[in-house]
Amino acid sequence: IPSKPYMVSISGKNIADNLQMLQKISSTIESGSVNIAAVELNLACPNIVGKPTIGYDFEQMEDVMKQVASLPCFSGSKPLFPLGVKMPPYFDRPHFEMAAAILNKYKHIV
Protein backbone atom coordinates (compact mmCIF):
# COMPACT_ATOMS: atom_id res chain seq x y z
CA ILE A 1 0.00 0.00 0.00
CA PRO A 2 1.36 3.45 -0.83
CA SER A 3 2.42 5.24 2.33
CA LYS A 4 0.86 8.58 1.45
CA PRO A 5 -2.90 8.88 1.26
CA TYR A 6 -4.40 10.72 -1.66
CA MET A 7 -7.73 12.11 -2.77
CA VAL A 8 -9.46 11.10 -5.99
CA SER A 9 -11.63 13.57 -7.91
CA ILE A 10 -14.28 12.18 -10.25
CA SER A 11 -16.57 13.75 -12.82
CA GLY A 12 -18.32 11.43 -15.23
CA LYS A 13 -20.28 12.29 -18.34
CA ASN A 14 -23.45 11.01 -16.66
CA ILE A 15 -24.68 9.62 -13.35
CA ALA A 16 -23.97 6.05 -14.44
CA ASP A 17 -20.29 6.96 -14.96
CA ASN A 18 -20.08 8.50 -11.49
CA LEU A 19 -21.76 5.53 -9.83
CA GLN A 20 -19.48 3.11 -11.65
CA MET A 21 -16.38 5.06 -10.63
CA LEU A 22 -17.52 5.20 -6.99
CA GLN A 23 -18.11 1.44 -6.99
CA LYS A 24 -14.66 0.83 -8.53
CA ILE A 25 -13.05 3.10 -5.94
CA SER A 26 -14.89 1.22 -3.18
CA SER A 27 -13.64 -2.13 -4.46
CA THR A 28 -10.11 -0.78 -4.71
CA ILE A 29 -10.20 0.59 -1.15
CA GLU A 30 -11.62 -2.67 0.19
CA SER A 31 -8.84 -4.64 -1.55
CA GLY A 32 -6.25 -2.62 0.38
CA SER A 33 -4.15 -2.08 -2.71
CA VAL A 34 -4.22 1.72 -2.54
CA ASN A 35 -4.45 4.40 0.12
CA ILE A 36 -7.35 6.54 -1.09
CA ALA A 37 -8.19 8.87 1.79
CA ALA A 38 -11.20 10.63 0.24
CA VAL A 39 -13.17 11.18 -2.95
CA GLU A 40 -14.40 14.42 -4.47
CA LEU A 41 -17.54 14.23 -6.61
CA ASN A 42 -17.38 17.16 -9.01
CA LEU A 43 -20.81 18.66 -9.65
CA ALA A 44 -19.36 22.02 -10.69
CA CYS A 45 -18.35 21.33 -14.28
CA PRO A 46 -20.63 21.18 -17.31
CA ASN A 47 -19.74 17.72 -18.54
CA ILE A 48 -22.50 17.22 -21.08
CA VAL A 49 -22.81 19.55 -24.05
CA GLY A 50 -26.18 21.28 -23.98
CA LYS A 51 -26.90 20.32 -20.36
CA PRO A 52 -26.58 22.63 -17.36
CA THR A 53 -23.94 22.19 -14.69
CA ILE A 54 -25.38 19.67 -12.22
CA GLY A 55 -24.72 22.00 -9.30
CA TYR A 56 -27.09 24.56 -10.86
CA ASP A 57 -29.79 22.04 -11.77
CA PHE A 58 -31.19 21.31 -8.32
CA GLU A 59 -33.54 18.54 -9.44
CA GLN A 60 -30.65 16.72 -11.11
CA MET A 61 -28.39 17.38 -8.12
CA GLU A 62 -30.98 15.81 -5.80
CA ASP A 63 -31.18 12.76 -8.07
CA VAL A 64 -27.39 12.38 -8.19
CA MET A 65 -27.07 12.61 -4.41
CA LYS A 66 -29.92 10.14 -3.88
CA GLN A 67 -28.31 7.58 -6.19
CA VAL A 68 -24.86 8.07 -4.67
CA ALA A 69 -26.28 7.66 -1.15
CA SER A 70 -27.86 4.35 -2.18
CA LEU A 71 -24.48 2.76 -3.00
CA PRO A 72 -23.31 0.04 -0.58
CA CYS A 73 -20.17 2.03 0.35
CA PHE A 74 -22.45 4.66 1.95
CA SER A 75 -25.14 2.38 3.38
CA GLY A 76 -23.60 1.60 6.77
CA SER A 77 -23.37 3.74 9.86
CA LYS A 78 -20.04 5.08 8.59
CA PRO A 79 -19.18 5.57 4.91
CA LEU A 80 -16.29 3.53 3.51
CA PHE A 81 -14.53 6.81 2.62
CA PRO A 82 -15.15 10.54 3.07
CA LEU A 83 -16.97 12.10 0.14
CA GLY A 84 -16.60 15.76 -0.75
CA VAL A 85 -18.83 17.47 -3.29
CA LYS A 86 -17.32 20.16 -5.47
CA MET A 87 -19.96 22.80 -6.09
CA PRO A 88 -20.12 25.75 -8.48
CA PRO A 89 -20.24 29.27 -7.09
CA TYR A 90 -23.66 30.55 -6.11
CA PHE A 91 -24.32 34.25 -6.43
CA ASP A 92 -27.91 34.40 -5.20
CA ARG A 93 -28.93 33.46 -1.67
CA PRO A 94 -31.91 31.32 -2.78
CA HIS A 95 -29.60 29.16 -4.92
CA PHE A 96 -27.16 28.76 -2.04
CA GLU A 97 -30.03 27.77 0.26
CA MET A 98 -31.42 25.25 -2.24
CA ALA A 99 -28.02 23.61 -2.69
CA ALA A 100 -27.45 23.54 1.07
CA ALA A 101 -30.86 21.94 1.65
CA ILE A 102 -30.02 19.13 -0.78
CA LEU A 103 -26.57 18.50 0.67
CA ASN A 104 -27.92 18.58 4.21
CA LYS A 105 -30.26 15.69 3.34
CA TYR A 106 -27.13 13.65 2.66
CA LYS A 107 -24.86 14.96 5.40
CA HIS A 108 -24.29 11.38 6.58
CA ILE A 109 -22.19 10.83 3.43
CA VAL A 110 -20.76 14.28 2.58
Side-chain angles (χ1 to χ4, degrees):
I1 296 177
S3 60
K4 291 186 178 185
Y6 58 96
M7 183 174 184
V8 176
S9 180
I10 63 169
S11 184
K13 291 185 179 183
N14 54 49
I15 183 61
D17 286 350
N18 287 329
L19 296 174
Q20 183 179 22
M21 285 186 279
L22 287 167
Q23 290 171 323
K24 178 68 174 169
I25 290 166
S26 296
S27 297
T28 303
I29 290 171
E30 287 174 330
S31 75
S33 61
V34 295
N35 195 4
I36 297 173
V39 176
E40 173 192 71
L41 176 61
N42 186 342
L43 302 182
C45 295
N47 299 322
I48 303 170
V49 176
K51 297 280 187 175
T53 300
I54 294 171
Y56 290 135
D57 180 341
F58 299 110
E59 187 175 307
Q60 186 179 10
M61 187 170 116
E62 171 75 36
D63 183 53
V64 167
M65 294 307 301
K66 182 178 180 180
Q67 290 189 55
V68 168
S70 72
L71 292 173
C73 57
F74 298 114
S75 64
S77 61
K78 183 179 179 204
L80 181 60
F81 51 85
L83 179 70
V85 179
K86 182 177 181 181
M87 304 297 294
Y90 296 103
F91 301 102
D92 296 318
R93 185 165 184 84
H95 294 154
F96 175 82
E97 290 171 351
M98 288 170 27
I102 292 168
L103 292 176
N104 281 332
K105 287 182 188 178
Y106 302 96
K107 62 185 172 186
H108 63 287
I109 66 166
V110 297

